[in-house]
Amino acid sequence: MWHHRHRRLGRLATVNSRTVTFSRREDSVCVDPDPADTVADRINTLLNSSGPGYVLQLCPNREYILQTPIYFAAPNQEISTEGYPTDDSRATLIVNGPVANGTGHTTAVDGTCADCSNIMLRNVQINGARHVAPPTSGGANIEFGGGNGNQTVQFVRSYDPRGWSCLHVAEGPFTCNNAVIQNNDIGPCGVDTFQEWADGISVSCKDSTVRNNMIQGPTDGGIVLFGSPGTKVYNNTIWIVNNTLLGGINMVDYLPWQGNYSNTVVKNNTIVGGYATSTDPHNDKLGPNQADVIIKIGIAVGPRTWFGDRYLANTSSNGVVEDNRLSGAFGYGIAISSASNFTISNNVLFGNSSFIGASGANCSKTVAVPDPAPFIYDNTAVGTTLQTEFQLVADASSLSCIIPPLNGDYWPFGHDPDSFYESSNATQYSAISPAGVLIGVFVARVLKRIEERRLHRRPLPSFDSSFNKMTTEKGFLGVTPPIATTESNEREKEVTVTLMEELRRQNTFESEEEARRRELVLGRVATLVKKFVHTVAMSRGLSEAAATAAGGKIFTFGSYRLGVHGPGSDIDTLCVVPKHVSRDDFFEVFEPMLMEMEGVAEVSGVPDAYVPIIKAKISGIPLDLLMARLALSSIPEDLSLRDDTLLRNLDERCVRSLGGSRVTDEILRLVPNVQVFRDSLRCIKLWAQRRAIYSNVNGFLGGVAWAMLVARICQLYPNAIAGAIVSRFFIIMYRWSWPQPVLLKQIEEGPLQVRVWNPKLYPADRSHRMPIITPAYPAMCSTHNVTASTQMIMTEEFKKAADIVDKVIVGKAAWSELFAKHDFFHKYRYYLQVIASTGNADLQIKWAGTVESRIRQLVMKLEYVDSLTLAHPFIKGFEQTLYCLTDEEVRQVAQGEISDAVLKRKKEDIEGKEGGGEVYSTTFYIGLLIEPRQDGAVGPRRLDISYPTQEFTKLVRVWEKFDESSMSIVVQHIKSSMLPDYVYDVGERPQKLVQKRAKGPSKSSNTSPDMPYTKRRRSSHPVDSIRSSENDVPMSLTPVVEVAGAFAPKDPLEIRSPQLPFGENVAAIAKGALSAQ
């Protein structure tokens, strides 16, 4: 483990012709990021106590979770990664402090103290961790400047800021000077949703230098100069891939320098707008762009270009813009309005370019915006020297109001900034104006290309080039070629027949009558959704014809859509509605309409869920109903959800709601034989359920993840039948080279500024142990909950199953052995019992769900306990409703002490009696595997699990709806012999063995020293509340004490490593092809 020590270095650092001396200390190493909850405080203490010249070094390949900013405290200080790496091994500072009501923690590093001149931030990464949340009011990822001089930020990667900029150097009391911002990787920054933008680099410090920076995916301004007189901006590259950018380089802000851009020079920068994202053999000039991305203004000069008349007649003055290069799709290349005494010269277009756009909702209704064009100015630009290509327009104000055209062949073909070519010839201009949309298009054709030198920057984080896009031209589905394309042999066909027979015996198929009932129910729901949309449309004032045309449609997903549902399974159903229908309407209008349907027995809406849902049961068929509101005025009958552009302008909940249906359909599209896939998945699903490893929330795999694993094996054996697929499934999954991801297709970009799974870009994605990536945009990891323990358990199960199936193939076992019940409650000597209880049935559902969703956190903390090999969570909780006559019985039940009298008691036994009441409890179990005793060890050992359990109880108690007077959470460890009868099937419980009692502390089932006192005053709470106090929650657990020899795991299995049949090369998947993924 890295240790927490100081570092001072003796060296001379020459930056921008200035020399800074740093002191030395020889015994130095990097600051340990653990424990994470104190790391910011520890770093700030070091910076404050160590004085000028202190060099604080962070550990390579480590993440620092910050709850507060890190503050430079003295001149000449430095924060950097040890060894000064420039790749992804740079330490990552993650902004993770609280945010509420739009304000909170936004800054990782702050260098604006009163005496912070000559400080340096270098060779680190800054993750603002905004993800797709709304922006937070506050500072940038990095805040430098103030009243200081000679500050440096270099070789820093800054991205995903919560606030308005990735990097900001402020003017302070107009004394900030000589900042150097160089060789940094910036972006993505912000979201291109209205007013959720963010800058790449924002500079107001005078006489500064901004050079050699790579800025990808900003959304407000790539580089924004707030006057910043005397500043030099050169050799920077700004480009976009899947978002709209308002301005490449902005010289538009009148404040704080009153428009003074004297000696501010913007020179030799490269700005790249969007390129076509598809190819067209019939059109070698222009094509569509899936995300409709453009840069609205490549370089904007003067406040009116941006702000209109906000600053009246005030101007920007005395700047220089020269020798800059533009390529790709823009609204305007360079636009000038309300500028004086500027020099604009020798700026060129290279490669292919187009100038496109349409008047947006925020554009003036009385003054038309000028046609998109490369270089424009208006008459408010006075005393300005312009290159000859500039075109005079009537009004060049408020140009950022334009919007990209809605698809169409308007984008030029081109390359990313690492493979630019430029033309040595002059370009030609042309314009296109489609009906109803004002669009100008400039096409720069390259007649003679000269290869340009490669840019200095290392390649953007991306997947390896061997991530092949799924193409039918290559003859296979997936990201790698199949392992085998031969058909299954006769024996595999025979075992497939017996497999299907066994699945029928196991009652995994529904009856024809139930299938017909499901179809009828779905038909009724589809009709109701149209009626619901019509009702809301009429209430919004639409005409009868418009309300009828508005439509509404349902899509199924999950096990029903995949075709692997069984008797009693619910139907996951998505209700797609037009834009005039709100989510409130779904719960306030549709839910009551649903209740009035004939045959409806249960309807329960959960509007506050992560994915808002209405649960219902109609004619005995359970349904989970979700809603997605599209940005369409009507929903056509032939609507397909595969179109990624449908996701634009949707809120996060709608995107999540659409995700289930889109992923399910994509899985079915990516398997070579749907029926083989369904038969195989039905088998794997039953096996996983029986072996108690089918649960996403508890750290195992959920239904979608299992489906994608089976689909991947089907891709690798496109001509195999179910028996062969199942056989290969367990072998390949056992030998899979985790954490190499399972992919069904290439990960794709899309039209949204949302996070797409990329372990090279996002540190959290690198932590995924068994990444299985959804095939629909935006690609996500469906298995982020997997822990070290659950991965170990699933790997063991893969190995056991492979051995059984191998025996089935050779006729030495039956398929029924594969579906044998789990042995969880026979497997361990010690268990943790987590009991969540309340006095209200509805409240218990939410409280138990909250506790269950956090069990994984407890497992992860237990994994760090010495001597504990594994923490195995069971996949479901056990619910009980118990009737108590006294407060003392309530307390005992909440602690898991249930007498026979309470077990036998019925509701009518407590009616009309004071005290006591109903107790609703849900109990979860975690098996504990303790490592074997070392040879020669004597005496008892102690297993201290107090810290994990204490932290877990704190975690669940911070739930916003936690009420100490009506809820209880208890964590206690028990021996296997003390497990309650309800965890076993009838006749399954093992006979208790008579064992010699160990000397030492008491070993009763309730081992917590924080058990509530037995004598308590009578509570004044209502009878339907749990009588609880602070003592109801164990804040620590007594260490487990065992006698010699009791720590060995029960019956370790010796199973040979499973192998694929002769001639099938698993290495190509587990090593070669997997590394490609």
Side-chain angles (χ1 to χ4, degrees), residues 388-400:
T388 58
E389 295 90 343
F390 268 87
Q391 169 188 348
L392 177 66
V393 298
D395 189 349
S397 66
S398 302
L399 300 180
S400 62

Side-chain angles (χ1 to χ4, degrees), residues 482-539:
I483 294 177
T485 58
T486 56
E487 294 186 359
S488 297
N489 58 39
E490 289 303 316
R491 178 55 186 163
E492 289 169 339
K493 294 176 182 178
E494 291 172 5
V495 297
T496 299
V497 172
T498 58
L499 171 61
M500 301 311 297
E501 292 172 350
E502 182 61 33
L503 290 174
R504 290 185 177 86
R505 277 194 294 270
Q506 297 283 349
N507 195 32
T508 64
F509 293 90
E510 68 179 350
S511 66
E512 291 184 8
E513 186 277 330
E514 185 175 356
R516 285 193 297 270
R517 192 149 35 97
R518 287 179 186 273
E519 293 174 2
L520 290 172
V521 166
L522 287 173
R524 294 173 61 195
V525 172
T527 301
L528 186 68
V529 168
K530 285 183 170 62
K531 182 179 178 182
F532 157 61
V533 171
H534 183 274
T535 300
V536 173
M538 295 298 291
S539 71

Side-chain angles (χ1 to χ4, degrees), residues 969-986:
I969 178 70
V970 171
V971 183
Q972 57 193 13
H973 69 263
I974 62 173
K975 292 185 68 174
S976 57
S977 59
M978 302 301 295
L979 287 168
D981 290 338
Y982 61 68
V983 303
Y984 299 104
D985 290 339
V986 176

Side-chain angles (χ1 to χ4, degrees), residues 229-298:
T231 291
K232 306 297 186 287
V233 179
Y234 61 93
N235 290 348
N236 302 283
T237 299
I238 301 165
W239 82 103
I240 57 174
V241 176
N242 61 355
N243 65 275
T244 293
L245 171 60
L246 302 186
I249 298 178
N250 294 349
M251 307 174 76
V252 300
D253 286 274
Y254 180 72
L255 298 175
W257 290 94
Q258 282 74 51
N260 181 10
Y261 286 84
S262 297
N263 297 316
T264 299
V265 178
V266 174
K267 182 181 178 72
N268 289 332
N269 300 284
T270 300
I271 305 173
V272 181
Y275 285 122
T277 55
S278 64
T279 59
D280 185 350
H282 304 294
N283 185 349
D284 62 352
K285 297 179 180 181
L286 299 170
N289 180 290
Q290 291 179 353
D292 297 338
V293 304
I294 62 170
I295 297 178
K296 295 188 178 183
I297 311 174

Side-chain angles (χ1 to χ4, degrees), residues 418-455:
D418 281 325
S419 57
F420 285 152
Y421 294 86
E422 66 179 353
S423 173
S424 61
N425 293 357
T427 59
Q428 298 178 345
Y429 173 81
S430 62
I432 302 175
S433 299
V437 182
L438 180 63
I439 301 178
V441 178
F442 179 94
V443 182
R445 289 290 298 136
V446 180
L447 304 178
K448 181 179 178 182
R449 294 182 171 181
I450 302 174
E451 184 171 11
E452 181 181 61
R453 65 173 178 83
R454 305 285 291 180
L455 299 177

Side-chain angles (χ1 to χ4, degrees), residues 55 192 226 324 332 351 368 415 462 491 637 797 873 886 896 961 1006 1020:
V55 177
D192 59 5
F226 293 87
N324 299 287
Y332 309 94
H415 305 277
S462 62
R491 178 55 186 163
E637 284 294 328
E797 291 294 342
T886 66
K961 296 182 180 179
N1006 291 317
S1020 60

Side-chain angles (χ1 to χ4, degrees), residues 191-386:
V191 177
D192 59 5
T193 303
F194 183 70
Q195 293 189 341
E196 296 192 3
W197 314 294
D199 293 343
I201 297 175
S202 312
V203 180
S204 186
C205 183
K206 67 180 181 180
D207 299 323
S208 296
T209 300
V210 181
R211 65 188 176 200
N212 299 337
N213 299 285
M214 301 296 287
I215 306 163
Q216 185 267 320
T219 51
D220 197 343
I223 298 175
V224 179
L225 299 171
F226 293 87
S228 193
T231 291
K232 306 297 186 287
V233 179
Y234 61 93
N235 290 348
N236 302 283
T237 299
I238 301 165
W239 82 103
I240 57 174
V241 176
N242 61 355
N243 65 275
T244 293
L245 171 60
L246 302 186
I249 298 178
N250 294 349
M251 307 174 76
V252 300
D253 286 274
Y254 180 72
L255 298 175
W257 290 94
Q258 282 74 51
N260 181 10
Y261 286 84
S262 297
N263 297 316
T264 299
V265 178
V266 174
K267 182 181 178 72
N268 289 332
N269 300 284
T270 300
I271 305 173
V272 181
Y275 285 122
T277 55
S278 64
T279 59
D280 185 350
H282 304 294
N283 185 349
D284 62 352
K285 297 179 180 181
L286 299 170
N289 180 290
Q290 291 179 353
D292 297 338
V293 304
I294 62 170
I295 297 178
K296 295 188 178 183
I297 311 174
I299 300 176
V301 179
R304 291 188 77 249
T305 59
W306 206 265
F307 303 107
D309 295 328
R310 180 185 304 179
Y311 295 107
L312 304 176
N314 292 305
T315 63
S316 297
S317 60
N318 303 315
V320 176
V321 179
E322 62 183 8
D323 299 324
N324 299 287
R325 307 164 65 250
L326 293 82
S327 182
F330 298 85
Y332 309 94
I334 301 178
I336 308 169
S337 182
S338 65
S340 62
N341 300 314
F342 262 77
T343 297
I344 316 291
S345 64
N346 297 322
N347 301 284
V348 298
L349 307 174
F350 74 100
N352 295 330
S353 299
S354 65
F355 295 85
I356 56 180
S359 181
N362 294 319
C363 291
S364 171
K365 300 298 186 292
T366 57
V367 179
V369 294
D371 289 355
F375 307 108
I376 66 169
Y377 73 105
D378 64 18
N379 286 324
T380 63
V382 296
T384 295
T385 301
L386 301 178

Side-chain angles (χ1 to χ4, degrees), residues 778-1072:
M780 300 177 184
C781 180
S782 64
T783 50
H784 61 274
N785 284 345
V786 173
T787 71
S789 290
T790 54
Q791 181 181 3
M792 193 183 310
I793 293 159
M794 285 187 283
T795 301
E796 178 191 9
E797 291 294 342
F798 288 143
K799 192 175 185 180
K800 290 179 183 178
D803 183 63
I804 292 171
V805 175
D806 186 50
K807 293 177 181 178
V808 171
I809 297 295
V810 298
K812 294 183 178 180
W815 283 111
S816 57
E817 296 179 38
L818 182 67
F819 307 124
K821 186 184 174 183
H822 63 85
D823 58 352
F824 178 82
F825 292 107
H826 302 269
K827 196 171 186 177
Y828 305 103
R829 284 190 168 85
Y830 283 97
Y831 295 82
L832 272 190
Q833 194 179 49
V834 180
I835 307 171
S837 55
T838 67
N840 179 277
D842 293 334
L843 180 61
Q844 177 64 18
I845 294 173
K846 297 178 180 179
W847 176 229
T850 299
V851 172
E852 183 178 24
S853 69
R854 290 159 172 77
I855 290 288
R856 184 178 67 94
Q857 301 296 325
L858 174 56
V859 169
M860 294 173 67
K861 289 178 171 61
L862 288 168
E863 289 172 349
Y864 287 96
V865 173
D866 290 340
S867 299
L868 192 60
T869 301
L870 180 144
H872 183 169
F874 192 57
I875 61 172
K876 69 171 186 176
F878 293 87
E879 299 177 353
Q880 287 183 293
T881 302
L882 300 162
Y883 305 97
C884 303
L885 292 173
T886 66
D887 287 349
E888 180 62 18
E889 284 186 347
V890 170
R891 184 198 67 81
Q892 290 175 349
V893 167
Q895 299 290 338
E897 303 173 18
I898 305 172
S899 66
D900 289 340
V902 173
L903 279 173
K904 297 176 181 177
R905 194 173 294 138
K906 299 179 180 180
K907 185 174 182 179
E908 52 266 28
D909 296 332
I910 65 170
E911 291 178 350
K913 298 182 180 179
E914 294 185 3
E918 296 175 80
V919 178
Y920 301 88
S921 73
T922 306
T923 305
F924 305 95
Y925 290 90
I926 301 173
L928 304 178
L929 179 62
I930 306 169
E931 68 181 21
R933 177 183 295 277
Q934 299 297 321
D935 293 340
V938 296
R941 294 187 295 169
R942 298 173 68 82
L943 181 66
D944 188 353
I945 55 177
S946 57
Y947 176 76
T949 54
Q950 184 180 26
E951 290 299 302
F952 171 72
T953 53
K954 289 179 182 178
L955 179 66
V956 296
R957 286 164 63 88
V958 297
W959 183 43
E960 60 183 7
K961 296 182 180 179
F962 178 77
D963 180 4
E964 191 174 9
S965 67
S966 59
M967 302 179 193
S968 173
I969 178 70
V970 171
V971 183
Q972 57 193 13
H973 69 263
I974 62 173
K975 292 185 68 174
S976 57
S977 59
M978 302 301 295
L979 287 168
D981 290 338
Y982 61 68
V983 303
Y984 299 104
D985 290 339
V986 176
E988 183 189 358
R989 179 165 200 139
Q991 293 184 350
K992 295 182 180 179
L993 299 177
V994 179
Q995 296 181 337
K996 182 177 179 180
R997 185 176 181 84
K999 295 180 181 180
S1002 170
K1003 300 177 71 180
S1004 66
S1005 61
N1006 291 317
T1007 56
S1008 171
D1010 295 306
M1011 290 291 293
Y1013 297 112
T1014 55
K1015 293 183 179 180
R1016 299 174 64 200
R1017 66 180 178 82
R1018 175 170 290 275
S1019 169
S1020 60
H1021 300 310
V1023 295
D1024 65 343
S1025 298
I1026 296 293
R1027 280 53 164 177
S1028 62
S1029 70
E1030 184 66 29
N1031 288 325
D1032 284 330
V1033 181
M1035 300 307 291
S1036 64
L1037 283 179
T1038 302
V1040 174
V1041 180
E1042 255 294 5
V1043 295
F1047 284 77
K1050 293 183 178 181
D1051 302 326
L1053 286 170
E1054 296 293 338
I1055 303 176
R1056 66 179 179 85
S1057 180
Q1059 301 291 328
L1060 285 174
F1062 178 77
E1064 295 179 10
N1065 184 9
V1066 70
I1069 295 301
K1071 297 180 181 178

